[in-house]
Amino acid sequence: MTNNIQTIILLTIFVPIVGSFTIPLAGLISKKARSFWSVLLALATTACSMLLIPFALKGGELAFRKEMAMGLDFIVVADALSIFMAVVSSFVGALIVIYSLGYIGHEENQNEYYLIVLLFIGSMMGLVFSANLIFMYLFWEIAAIACWRLIGFYRVREFVLKADKAFLMTFFGAVFMLLGFIIIYGQTGTFDLTAMRGTAIPGVAVLLILLGMFSKSATVPLHTWLPDAGVAPTTVTALLHAAVLVKIGVYAYARLFCYTFKLPEGWQQAIPIIVVFSSLIAAAAAAVENDLKRILAYSTVSQIGYIFLGFAVLNPMGVSGSLLFILMHGLAKAGLFLCAGIVIHATHQRDIRQMGGMIKTMPWTAVAYVFCAFSVIGIPPFGGFFSKFMVIMATVQSGRVWVAAAALFAAVMTMYYLFRVFSAVFMGEARSDAKEGTRSMVFVVVVLAVLSLLAGLFVAYPTQLANVASGEILRWMK
Amino acid sequence: MNPQNLLIPVLLPLLLALFSFLLPRGVKRLREVVSVLGAALFVYVAIAFFGQKETFLTLPWLGHGIDFELRLYGFSQFILIALSGFTFLITLYSTVKMAGDPRIREYYGYLFLTSAMSAGAVLANNLVPLVFFWEGLLITLYALITIGGKGSHRTAVKAFLIGGFCDFSMILGIAILWSQTGTLRMSDISVVPQGLTAVSFYLMMIGAIGKAGSMPFHTWIPDAAVDAPVTVMAFIPAALEKLLGIYMLARICLDLFKLETNSAPSLVLMTVGALTIVLAVFMALIQKDLKKLLSYHAVSQVGYMMLGIGTAVPIGIAGGIFHMINHAMYKSGLFLAAGSVEQQAGTTELKKLGGLAKAMPLTALGFVVCAAAISGIWPLNGFVSKEMVFHGSYETGYTIFTIAAWLGAILTFASFLKAGHSVFFGPRGLETAAVKESKSPITIPILILAGLCVLFGVYNALPLKLFIQPILAGHAAPGESIDFTAHALAVFNPIALISLGCLLIAFALHFFGFKRGGNKAYLASEPIHRLPVLRTLYDWAEARVFDLYEQGIKFIQAMSKFLFRFVDRPIDAFYEKVVVGVGRACIGALKAAHNGLYANYLAWTVGGLVIIVWAIGALLR
Amino acid sequence: MHLFLLIGLVAFSIMAVLSRDLLKSAISLAVASIFLALAFFGMNAVYAGVFELSVVAGLITVLFITAIALTRSDSEVAESKRHLIVFPLFFLALAVLDILVMRKLLGQIPAIQSAESGTFSQVLWNQRTFDLVGQVGAIFAGVLAVLALFRPDGEKAHQDNVSEGGRHE
Amino acid sequence: MNNLWILNMGFVALLIGIGLYCLLTMKNTVKLLIGVEIIAKGVTLALVASGYARDNLLVAQSLVITVIVVDVAVIATALALIISINRHTKSLDVRKLTKLKG
Amino acid sequence: MLFLFIIVPLLLAGLLPLLGKLSKRFLPDLLASAAMLFLLVLAVVSAKPLIAGGGIIQQAFWFGAPLNIRLLLDGFSLFMLFTISLVSFAVTLYSINYMEHYGAKANYYALLLVMIAGMNGLVLSSDLFNIYIFLEMAAVASYALVAFGRGHDELEASFKYLMLSAVASAFVLLSIAIIFGVTGGVSFGTVAQGLKTLNIKYVVGICSGLFLAGFGLKAALVPFHSWLPDAHPSAPAPISAMLSAVLIKVSGVYAMTRIFLNVFGLTPALTTVLTVMGVVSIFVGALAALGQNDIKRMLAYSSISQIGYVVLGLGIGTPLGILGGLFHLFNHALFKSLLFLNAGAIEQSTGTRSLDRMGGLAKVMPLTATTSAIASLSIAGVPPLNGFWSKLLIIIALVQAKMHVLAVLAVLGSVVTLWYYLVLQRYAFFGKLNETWKGVKEAPFWMSASMVLLALLCVVTGLVFPFVIHSWLQPAADVLGQGVSVALNFIGF
């Protein structure tokens, strides 16, 4: 049994990573072969990770290691948290790969594109299963490389600049995080997370590590790369960032600060405030921006604040809520980005002031947009409601009423700006005779919209897994 | 009763909704037939539920004490009947009124979804399912308003945002309540609002009265009256939201929190109620569009209910709840009547209408009865419930609230005199010459509602004993009488006499205005409109100065701009400008330093040697 | 005597530096070398003295003069006259500093005294053999360097073409 | 003996100082090379003085010889460079050699 | 057999100019490459006895008679030998195609071989004066190699390099003279023994300063770095690679480290000076690189910056710091040579070194672009490439040594490093193809081969770094970690 699980975990990590480098080889055969192979790899990853769900539901935890030099053992830990993250991100990742078939079909550098996306998924898998700080960092940076190549995918000067900015800012955060890890190492003499449970760590290390997390997860004040990156690349790339990449930092937060280390009291108080502040500022920026993709990117920043908040309040409901949030936000934000993609594709512009009345010509997109918007805002019965609700409940439960109030205000702002976009883009006077997107594009957004709805209606199933994960936190907090 | 059956009131409309959504647009009859029959079945279910024992249903859901819990008991049975009844009537009415609408498929779908959600909210016994259904109503509300067509979207967003704000307040309130009591099961919660729980009370109150459309969360209603289909107006703001909102308010004040008479929360609630009565009715008075006028009344009447429940006196509470059901009936009736007029005459502007009583006798009859009921004319139901509210507020000792209520009564009557007079009496307008009576599916609901108004007035014992007493049963102080039927229609007591006097004043006002306006009924309110101070206030109100939504949006915009300009952009500028600038400066300095001169380089070398030797020397010491 | 030789060495070095004629400089340098060689003789370092005399005073001076001759025709670089004022000041300061430091060091520094025996060739061959490999290598390098620099121009000299002008951020 | 060593070292310092002065202030490339030579003289003096002071003269002399040979190689290369530069720039001024900078 | 490391290249250097008359291209290419391969194999083979038992001192023989040439091979020197051989092998392969248009290949290879002989000799010597002389040997060859193109830039750069180097050599020699004067010997053993018995910390301090200035100039530490950004870009690309990847490390870092750690013994004062110089170098180099438009000049400044890391790591003096420093030295040899070779490939294909004029070359030169991206990420310390692990070790060592400020600065330095490498990538490869370069071709076979070889090494070293550390680095670091006792053990021989 254990061996089986081990094999599956290793497959989950290495199928995409090793597979990604075979994609150019497949590309030598034909375009079709490459696309097929990429999708196959992504699906295999998802399947592998999903095979772990029963194990996770049983509350199982498995850690195994490969000895290496100087405490840099490759340690893998599989528990409900990591399996939840793995399933969600590989699932969304696989969806993105499938959708890329249509979106990227006409561009150059497709080999590189699929290679990088698969590598990205692989690094994500590696990250969630790593229980060694250094290996976490390693996969973290592989993801950053992937992100860099993807943002600059079109090779246009301005986009490449944004890619560099994103890479630099996240790298800046990440190396300081590494420094934080090293400070912890200096204190404990190990990088092994499983051995450090319940360790109290110095505030400086927390600050440094937070720099990394905030930069990766685009939280104020290290968030500005995300809106920029959101503008530049293909829609799919933007989506990949919003739906998956930014979750890395959040996951690391959960893994480190909810499941492993004891935060100093001051930080425990400060972090919820910081993230809510971030949420508010991003919401404000989204309310002011006129560029469709920038708005959505800022919206991501704002929602990330919630996810952090749920983890930061350190109670089971918050953790459950945040994990659900990761899932729901992944689906709904993906839908929003893809709707935006269809709109931009049709109108060839991103300024919402130049759009209008598109509900007439693209009703499906409009409806899908509204569905996803509902989910992001947190309106039942869409999935986003439950996650947001649980995060708020948990925040109040931890005694932070004002923080919860601010978070709810951010939710009101979310309503405002998402409907501002909706009004500007789909309602009002038609400014162009933009046509509905291609069948596959529309199909995709509708599927995501429906998934957002279904995730809400059948919320009990993901919650079960999330609750197992959040149940573990109690064990470590004691 | 099998607890699983509790799901029927939720699932039945849900199935109907799905049916409507999935039925292709081309099929016409079938949809209407199934809808009406389904709604009838819904009514049947609700009636079948009535009188059943208290039943609980608990299904595991999200963990953390969040379970899917439903509870059927007296109060929810009562609301369920009302809910299903209105659903049926509106469905029936819609078969004609909405026929041919391009979005008919969605219309029925949303209609039944609304019913399903409302049923869920009414039955919920856990705060989370409650919020789930409660907030879910936002979607259908939004969708239904947008069916109104051009320009309705703005109003829909407005309704959505206001509703969302209120619901988020409620969520916060629930969260606080949960953190204080440790449970989410509504039947287990009963706290005195103090400190944090008081905050929770206010927040949940905002959620409840926001749904009910009280001031200051009412402003979407008059807008929607213009934009949304009249059936939607009759169904949601007039009936459903009052049912739900006041139901919730009653639950909050009676069950979740122990509201003490004259305690701060009680006074706050009464104050808001009184203000809502007076301010909204002032606005209603001067409206020149029938639907808008009705919509302001829909707001104003909420004030009575809040005032009643806020008294925390049994008779007040009973009055508030009774007023809720009464209001749902006559206001729906009024809206439907207005819809009937709109259907036939093509407009609801008072100026263009007139003398329709002859052409549309049934509609006129329904309208007049409902208008009389809302104005509190003896012996209609409105009189009974208003009297109870007056009594209740008087019992608290704060007569000021009673006076406000009376003031509201005066103006209500005055405005309805104006409305009825303009639409159905007086000279016939030229544009409306060819108007005929509406079809029976339209008139029947109106007449049923009018009939119910009379019934509940004359046989007030029926609702009071059957529905309302059970609700109060567990809450009134022991020995206190909760049988109000005795003096329900009593006229000869001071309060009732004053009320009747108010009606006379209203009549006088209307007559005065009518004469001043050159015998034009729609100008009857102008004397009040033109009063010195009021006029300015009215102008401001027209300019939406008092519209909290507009101000809120302005605030959000301003704040967003501020945060964006002064926080977000500076942060970005830090990276884009400061970091790059520092980099540039360093680069510049270094470039200047590496000037290619050999002597310069050698000087660095020698200088470096000197510094190193000095440093080593210093460090050795 | 030793002191005198050293002072002569320094003096001629200064002349080599300050002289405005390169040829004179080169010759002054050669004279300085001779003084140094004499000082070496004074310290019984005969072989070093001979080498200094032959290679430095001889060969290197020849090299210098050749180079000067090869470059003289088209390049007269006038050294500034300020040196006549600046240099004495610099030299004075240097000398004072030098004397101060060295006086302080007098007798301060312990050292290991070693008594060696054998002849110069024994020492050179038996102890410092590796140096000879290095010498050969250095000579190789020098020869090859000169060969590389003065290789026939048949094969075109490499031209780089880095454009001027900064990068635009 | 030790004091003689110190004395010699004093002169070594003087020579190196003079050489550095030459390198720092002179314009003519050949002159600079003379500066290098002066420094080299100082260093050879230092080696011999050290050997003399510690009765290690034979080793010192063998070192000096090697140094001188290496010196020649360096000087030869340098002069070859100077001549090549002169062909390019028609000048011996080191201050004109500032094409590479920044 | 260690003597082969010196004598083979030296003999071949002597032969090549003669053979060059026979065959202008083929023979020199073949012989030089063969010699490099031989040295590489020899280095690997030499590892065996070494791993079996400690350091080796080997005597050379002349027709059966023992000569007094004692070559010291321990972990550290073996590690350096391996690095030198590896890089020079790649560079020689690269030169086959690259040096075509320079002409005088035989002469070129001869100089290269002399330089390698000099470096090998330096690494194998166990004597201060030998270090000096081989330093000079390698240096003279490198002057000529820098000026090999004989353009104005090359000559100017070479001249400044020579003149500064000569001063540096004089500093080194002066220091040796003082040591000689104090201890009466120049071999490591004698000097270490002498310094141990005498209490002359100020003299040692002055000598350390002189050595630091002299070797620091060779290693291009700030403020002695000024020649490097001129000299390295001006040289032909393979030589730039050689200089940046190996020469500055052997003649600067190796010599410095060997003397300070094994002969003088590392004092806290020295640690402070070294680490501070390291950090200053990191920043000056990185910031100056940021502003460059000439790709090779950028790389040259980057070398200064990376040498800063190496010195920083070695300067800490803790075992882990030494390990990190050495590992970074090795890694830097790999990726910096690779980057210079990339730059050379670009220059050869497009004829320009100006970043402004490049753009989108990834499309026409995919191999160059990929290898360059790998090297760039690696040098910036992005995992899982090799540069990351070495920087990681250095930073861990800094934190463990409680040098938190330096740790933060080192980390910041790597951010700036990434910054300018992203700039480089953006201007050269990552972006829209500049129309001018539509017809540009990928580099020829041998150039590509050598770039791919180095890129693979970068990746592999990163992936199997524990193995690399165990087999090559740990012995070297152990030698340095043992401090003066290493040198004291030599006395017996």
Side-chain angles (χ1 to χ4, degrees), chain B residues 222-276:
Chain B
D223 289 0
V226 178
D227 293 328
V230 75
T231 48
V232 173
M233 289 307 291
F235 188 46
I236 296 184
L240 246 180
E241 303 231 307
K242 302 295 176 286
L243 285 178
L244 285 177
I246 300 305
Y247 163 73
M248 191 63 214
L249 189 66
R251 290 298 301 271
I252 292 171
C253 296
L254 295 177
D255 297 345
L256 301 179
F257 298 93
K258 286 193 276 260
L259 195 65
E260 307 279 336
T261 310
N262 292 346
S263 62
S266 157
L267 288 178
V268 167
L269 192 54
M270 284 163 75
T271 312
V272 175
L275 282 175
T276 304

Side-chain angles (χ1 to χ4, degrees), chain E residues 154-218:
Chain E
E154 285 91 332
L155 293 170
E156 178 187 332
S158 178
F159 179 73
K160 283 182 202 162
Y161 174 30
L162 187 151
M163 296 302 275
L164 284 166
S165 246
V167 175
S169 304
F171 288 158
V172 171
L173 200 55
L174 180 61
S175 180
I176 292 174
I178 295 171
I179 301 265
F180 178 53
V182 175
T183 63
V186 285
S187 78
F188 288 167
T190 329
V191 173
Q193 184 66 42
L195 292 180
K196 207 177 156 197
T197 43
L198 299 169
N199 179 24
I200 42 168
K201 60 176 186 180
Y202 284 105
V203 174
V204 175
I206 288 169
C207 290
S208 303
L210 285 168
F211 275 140
L212 201 49
F215 293 131
L217 194 136
K218 295 285 183 190

Side-chain angles (χ1 to χ4, degrees), chain E residues 5-351:
Chain E
F5 278 115
I6 303 161
I7 212 70
V8 167
L10 211 51
L11 279 180
L12 197 58
L15 276 176
L16 268 181
L18 307 174
L19 290 173
K21 303 269 185 247
L22 293 176
S23 155
K24 270 208 157 66
R25 298 195 162 78
F26 177 69
L27 221 46
D29 283 343
L30 180 74
L31 282 175
S33 307
M36 300 307 180
L37 190 60
F38 171 72
L39 290 181
L40 184 59
V41 173
L42 195 61
V44 177
V45 171
S46 315
K48 267 203 179 145
L50 185 76
I51 290 164
I56 304 170
I57 291 207
Q58 221 174 58
Q59 197 143 28
F61 292 88
W62 182 254
F63 297 112
L67 288 175
N68 192 23
I69 298 179
R70 285 185 307 187
L71 299 169
L72 162 69
L73 183 77
D74 56 16
F76 191 21
S77 21
L78 176 71
F79 166 71
M80 294 307 295
L81 273 181
F82 179 70
T83 311
I84 296 166
S85 311
L86 189 63
V87 174
S88 39
F89 177 62
V91 158
T92 322
L93 284 188
Y94 186 89
S95 305
I96 295 175
N97 291 135
Y98 188 82
M99 293 308 292
E100 286 296 337
H101 68 283
Y102 278 89
K105 254 190 172 172
N107 200 326
Y108 163 79
Y109 281 124
L111 279 167
L112 184 60
L113 285 164
V114 171
M115 189 164 91
I116 289 165
M119 289 190 286
N120 284 348
L122 197 160
V123 167
L124 287 169
S125 62
S126 60
D127 179 311
L128 290 179
F129 191 74
N130 284 345
I131 283 185
Y132 160 79
I133 189 159
F134 285 108
L135 191 81
E136 282 293 285
M137 179 171 147
V140 172
S142 70
Y143 306 146
L145 283 169
V146 168
F148 201 76
R150 294 189 300 169
H152 180 271
D153 288 358
E154 285 91 332
L155 293 170
E156 178 187 332
S158 178
F159 179 73
K160 283 182 202 162
Y161 174 30
L162 187 151
M163 296 302 275
L164 284 166
S165 246
V167 175
S169 304
F171 288 158
V172 171
L173 200 55
L174 180 61
S175 180
I176 292 174
I178 295 171
I179 301 265
F180 178 53
V182 175
T183 63
V186 285
S187 78
F188 288 167
T190 329
V191 173
Q193 184 66 42
L195 292 180
K196 207 177 156 197
T197 43
L198 299 169
N199 179 24
I200 42 168
K201 60 176 186 180
Y202 284 105
V203 174
V204 175
I206 288 169
C207 290
S208 303
L210 285 168
F211 275 140
L212 201 49
F215 293 131
L217 194 136
K218 295 285 183 190
L221 281 175
V222 174
F224 310 118
H225 65 286
S226 44
W227 59 274
L228 188 142
D230 295 348
H232 287 197
S234 303
I239 296 307
S240 312
M242 202 66 199
L243 296 183
S244 261
V246 189
L247 184 72
I248 55 173
K249 303 204 180 80
V250 172
S251 60
V253 179
Y254 171 83
M256 192 192 300
T257 318
R258 183 61 103 179
I259 292 173
F260 286 157
L261 269 71
N262 284 155
V263 181
F264 286 2
L266 197 63
T267 57
L270 219 49
T271 293
T272 312
V273 172
L274 279 174
T275 47
V276 168
M277 276 177 87
V279 165
V280 172
S281 298
I282 288 170
F283 275 93
V284 170
L287 287 170
L290 196 53
Q292 296 309 314
N293 182 40
D294 176 344
I295 181 168
K296 282 174 85 177
R297 203 169 166 84
M298 181 185 267
L299 295 177
Y301 273 114
S302 158
S303 288
I304 297 171
S305 172
Q306 299 304 309
I307 281 290
Y309 277 102
V310 176
V311 170
L312 180 61
L314 292 171
I316 306 166
T318 59
L320 196 63
I322 292 170
L323 196 64
L326 289 182
F327 195 19
H328 199 66
L329 186 154
F330 178 68
N331 292 335
H332 182 244
L334 290 181
F335 45 62
K336 188 47 66 63
S337 51
L338 175 53
L339 283 164
F340 267 117
L341 297 187
N342 291 144
I346 297 172
E347 191 184 0
Q348 204 189 35
S349 296
T350 65

Side-chain angles (χ1 to χ4, degrees), chain E residues 393-456:
Chain E
L393 293 184
I394 292 171
I395 292 165
I396 293 178
L398 280 170
V399 171
Q400 282 183 341
K402 304 265 176 262
M403 303 178 179
H404 288 116
V405 177
L406 292 180
V408 169
L409 290 174
V411 161
L412 258 186
S414 78
V415 176
V416 183
T417 309
L418 182 69
W419 189 357
Y420 63 78
Y421 276 104
L422 287 181
V423 167
L424 188 155
Q425 290 294 321
R426 181 165 85 230
Y427 278 82
F429 300 111
F430 202 27
K432 280 260 187 266
L433 181 65
N434 193 332
E435 290 301 312
T436 329
W437 313 127
K438 267 259 162 74
V440 160
K441 296 242 161 46
E442 178 58 280
F445 176 76
W446 288 112
M447 284 165 70
S448 307
S450 105
M451 290 190 290
V452 171
L453 170 75
L454 287 169
L456 280 180

Side-chain angles (χ1 to χ4, degrees), chain D residues 5 9 12 16 20 23 29-30 32-33 36 39-40 42-44 46-47 50-51 53-54 56-57 59-60 62-64 66-67 70-71 73-74 77-78 80-82 84-85 87-89 94 96-102, chain E residues 127 129 132-133 136-137 140 143-144 147 150-160 162-163 166-167 169-174 176-186 203 229-231 234 288 292 294 297 301 353:
Chain D
W5 186 64
M9 280 304 179
V12 169
I16 291 178
L20 285 177
L23 284 171
T29 44
V30 179
L32 294 185
L33 215 51
V36 171
I39 294 175
V43 176
T44 27
L47 275 171
S50 291
R54 312 292 177 230
N56 249 347
L57 209 47
V59 175
S62 48
L63 298 187
V64 163
T66 314
V67 170
V70 170
D71 212 30
V74 173
T77 313
L81 277 175
I82 289 173
S84 299
I85 291 170
R87 282 183 189 164
H88 270 278
T89 63
V94 76
K96 288 189 181 150
L97 287 179
T98 54
K99 193 167 163 224
L100 298 173
K101 61 183 169 192
Chain E
D127 179 311
F129 191 74
Y132 160 79
I133 189 159
E136 282 293 285
M137 179 171 147
V140 172
Y143 306 146
R150 294 189 300 169
H152 180 271
D153 288 358
E154 285 91 332
L155 293 170
E156 178 187 332
S158 178
F159 179 73
K160 283 182 202 162
L162 187 151
M163 296 302 275
V167 175
S169 304
F171 288 158
V172 171
L173 200 55
L174 180 61
I176 292 174
I178 295 171
I179 301 265
F180 178 53
V182 175
T183 63
V186 285
V203 174
D230 295 348
S234 303
Q292 296 309 314
D294 176 344
R297 203 169 166 84
Y301 273 114
R353 299 210 305 252

Side-chain angles (χ1 to χ4, degrees), chain B residues 472-550:
Chain B
L472 289 174
H475 301 281
E480 199 170 354
S481 163
I482 52 170
D483 183 3
F484 312 112
T485 48
H487 65 282
L489 283 175
V491 178
F492 298 103
N493 60 49
I495 291 173
L497 284 174
I498 294 175
S499 307
L500 292 177
C502 288
L503 298 181
L504 291 177
I505 298 172
F507 192 80
L509 267 178
H510 175 69
F511 196 72
F512 175 67
F514 180 63
K515 286 293 162 208
R516 280 288 298 272
N519 287 354
K520 290 203 170 73
Y522 73 91
L523 292 177
S525 59
E526 286 309 288
I528 294 177
H529 192 174
R530 302 273 171 235
L531 284 178
V533 180
L534 278 179
R535 186 178 177 174
T536 327
L537 291 174
Y538 273 129
D539 287 347
W540 285 353
E542 288 294 324
R544 297 178 185 271
V545 175
F546 301 118
D547 189 338
L548 213 62
Y549 170 78
E550 302 289 337

Side-chain angles (χ1 to χ4, degrees), chain C residues 11-58:
Chain C
F12 276 96
S13 298
I14 293 170
M15 263 188 75
V17 173
L18 290 184
S19 167
R20 303 194 62 203
D21 183 1
L22 282 182
L23 215 50
K24 279 185 196 158
S25 288
I27 292 166
S28 305
L29 193 67
V31 176
S33 271
I34 294 169
F35 273 95
L36 183 60
L38 290 175
F40 285 171
F41 287 129
M43 287 191 284
N44 297 329
V46 187
Y47 298 98
V50 168
F51 241 80
E52 179 74 28
L53 211 51
S54 59
V55 178
V56 182

